[in-house]
Amino acid sequence: MVQRTCIAEAMSMDLSPKRPVKAYSSDGGAYYDWSPADLPMLRAASIGAAKLSLVAGGLALPSYSDSAKVAYVLQGKGTCGLLLPEATAEKLIPVKEGDALALPFGVVTWWHNASSPDLVVLFLGDTSKGHTPGRFTNMQLTGSTGIFTGLSTEFVARAWDLPQDAAATLVSTQPGAGIVKIRDGHRMPDPSDKDREGMVLNCLEAPLDVDIKNGGRVVVLNTQNLPLVKEVGLGADLVRIDGHSMCSPGFSCDSAYQVTYIVRGSGRVQVVGIDGTRVLETRAEGGCLFIVPRFFVVSKIADDTGMEWFSIITTPNPIFSHLAGRTSVWKAISPAVLETSFNTTPEMEKLFRSKRLDSEIFFAPTN
């Protein structure tokens, strides 16, 4: 009964791509997130999605989250300060466009943009253990909403071994909340390339897992190339398809949701659910996010300029089954079964099987 209810909910939900809404901002930048009220699949899938944008000199104050996440740098470059649980020193990670980082539970991070253009970071993660299904809750360590503003001066002074007047001053002197701008002349710590080792995978520079001429390219994040993915419990990939190319219809065959953010470009998207019902037919553009329910089939066709998207899948080593192309299930099924399944002739079965012998998951446009 519960399973039928979940299926019915997924079939009736609005799956259309949505843009985020600004949650808070300052002269240092802004934080945006997607609300479960606008995108109901966030709550159903227990997935959070947010975006951080920092101008030159912007600093996202130290914080930790109630959710494990994957961060993906959409634009710019900067520094990610990262402190793993029980670590005694922070990592000062230089980040740039295309970088993906896995952020497990308990990680304290801060982000800084030293120069223009804006540093923009996408966060996608699992909120199943968080306070609000479908939305991240970030706990600020400092600022007007920092956790120490909730402790009495006596407790803060005892914790930090400070005189009470010093403790009160230290807690109250930062009026900003979440994001601030560094004052002129203040020097921030320099990032270290060594700290990138094992912590970052640049999806624009990594070896391609799939590379189809005039079709598309894929880089997959998994436990092999980014070990912390295992602790986060999520897989991810960056997909780029060329103009008018098609991504094969397919589904995640390990009960995972697909959460997709369109990085740039645009294209058409179709999603099919139970009983052959098309539950989504739309055009997705850069900056939008949508979620494909478990076992639903999705396919995309890029517009003139192509389409690029970054996705997380709610398992660290995802497995997909494709319904067209050389590796599709139809190429493995017996001819007699295929003929009967489609109620077609042997000639049509042979024609069907003779196609897409070389193409895998991306199909270049036909001339």
Side-chain angles (χ1 to χ4, degrees):
M1 181 65 71
V2 173
Q3 185 178 11
R4 287 186 178 181
T5 301
C6 293
I7 292 173
E9 288 179 351
M11 290 290 291
S12 62
M13 282 183 184
D14 177 12
L15 302 181
S16 59
K18 297 292 192 303
R19 295 182 182 275
V21 174
K22 185 185 294 183
Y24 57 85
S25 65
S26 74
D27 58 350
Y31 180 85
Y32 305 81
D33 69 357
W34 282 263
S35 166
D38 296 329
L39 193 58
M41 275 304 301
L42 288 171
R43 182 182 294 107
S46 291
I47 291 295
K51 193 159 63 169
L52 172 69
S53 179
L54 296 176
V55 302
L59 172 69
L61 295 171
S63 67
Y64 62 94
S65 178
D66 65 350
S67 305
K69 307 173 186 176
V70 172
Y72 181 71
V73 180
L74 297 167
Q75 174 186 309
K77 60 182 180 179
T79 302
C80 172
L82 187 150
L83 186 66
L84 293 167
E86 300 184 346
T88 57
E90 68 181 348
K91 292 183 178 292
L92 297 170
I93 302 171
V95 295
K96 60 183 179 180
E97 182 178 343
D99 280 351
L101 299 84
L103 306 176
F105 283 110
V107 168
V108 173
T109 59
W110 55 263
W111 300 80
H112 176 234
N113 178 14
S115 60
S116 57
D118 291 359
L119 171 64
V120 183
V121 185
L122 174 72
F123 300 97
L124 302 174
D126 176 12
T127 65
S128 60
K129 297 181 181 178
H131 289 283
T132 305
R135 204 166 207 166
F136 300 133
T137 299
N138 298 319
M139 312 293 284
Q140 303 294 331
L141 297 188
T142 65
S144 61
T145 58
I147 60 173
F148 283 96
T149 62
L151 293 172
S152 68
T153 302
E154 176 192 1
F155 272 59
V156 175
R158 286 285 300 274
W160 290 343
D161 191 23
L162 289 174
Q164 289 206 21
D165 57 346
T169 298
L170 190 58
V171 169
S172 63
T173 51
Q174 176 52 270
I179 298 172
V180 300
K181 194 166 186 178
I182 301 295
R183 65 180 180 269
D184 292 342
H186 182 73
R187 183 175 175 81
M188 294 291 287
D190 293 325
S192 169
D193 287 334
K194 185 178 180 181
D195 284 348
R196 287 177 60 89
E197 297 175 6
M199 303 298 298
V200 180
L201 179 73
N202 188 277
C203 298
L204 301 177
E205 299 173 354
L208 297 171
D209 294 282
V210 177
D211 184 8
I212 298 175
K213 185 178 180 180
N214 300 322
R217 292 149 294 284
V218 183
V219 170
V220 178
L221 279 71
N222 53 39
T223 55
Q224 301 301 311
N225 54 23
L226 195 60
L228 277 177
V229 162
K230 183 177 182 180
E231 293 187 41
V232 172
L234 302 168
D237 58 26
L238 178 70
V239 181
R240 291 167 284 170
I241 61 175
D242 298 325
H244 300 293
S245 290
M246 180 182 195
C247 181
S248 168
F251 62 94
S252 171
C253 51
D254 45 12
S255 189
Y257 292 92
Q258 300 176 58
V259 186
T260 298
Y261 175 84
I262 308 299
V263 177
R264 57 179 54 88
S266 60
R268 290 179 289 151
V269 179
Q270 291 189 357
V271 177
V272 177
I274 310 302
D275 297 329
T277 302
R278 189 185 308 152
V279 293
L280 178 66
E281 181 168 10
T282 191
R283 184 172 177 272
E285 299 178 335
C288 292
L289 181 136
F290 66 96
I291 301 175
V292 178
R294 293 178 296 176
F295 301 110
F296 283 29
V297 170
V298 61
S299 184
K300 309 175 188 75
I301 298 178
D303 290 339
D304 293 350
T305 58
M307 186 160 58
E308 177 179 335
W309 64 87
F310 184 81
S311 298
I312 64 164
I313 303 92
T314 55
T315 179
N317 292 295
I319 301 173
F320 289 96
S321 185
H322 293 279
L323 302 178
R326 181 175 62 83
T327 58
S328 80
V329 297
W330 293 115
K331 298 302 183 185
I333 287 179
S334 304
V337 174
L338 190 152
E339 181 182 327
T340 303
S341 297
F342 281 105
N343 190 27
T344 191
T345 63
E347 293 75 21
M348 181 61 72
E349 186 278 329
K350 289 179 181 178
L351 175 64
F352 179 86
R353 194 176 294 277
S354 69
K355 301 297 183 179
R356 300 290 186 209
L357 296 178
D358 299 321
S359 304
E360 293 195 25
I361 62 174
F362 300 128
F363 312 136
T366 55
N367 296 324

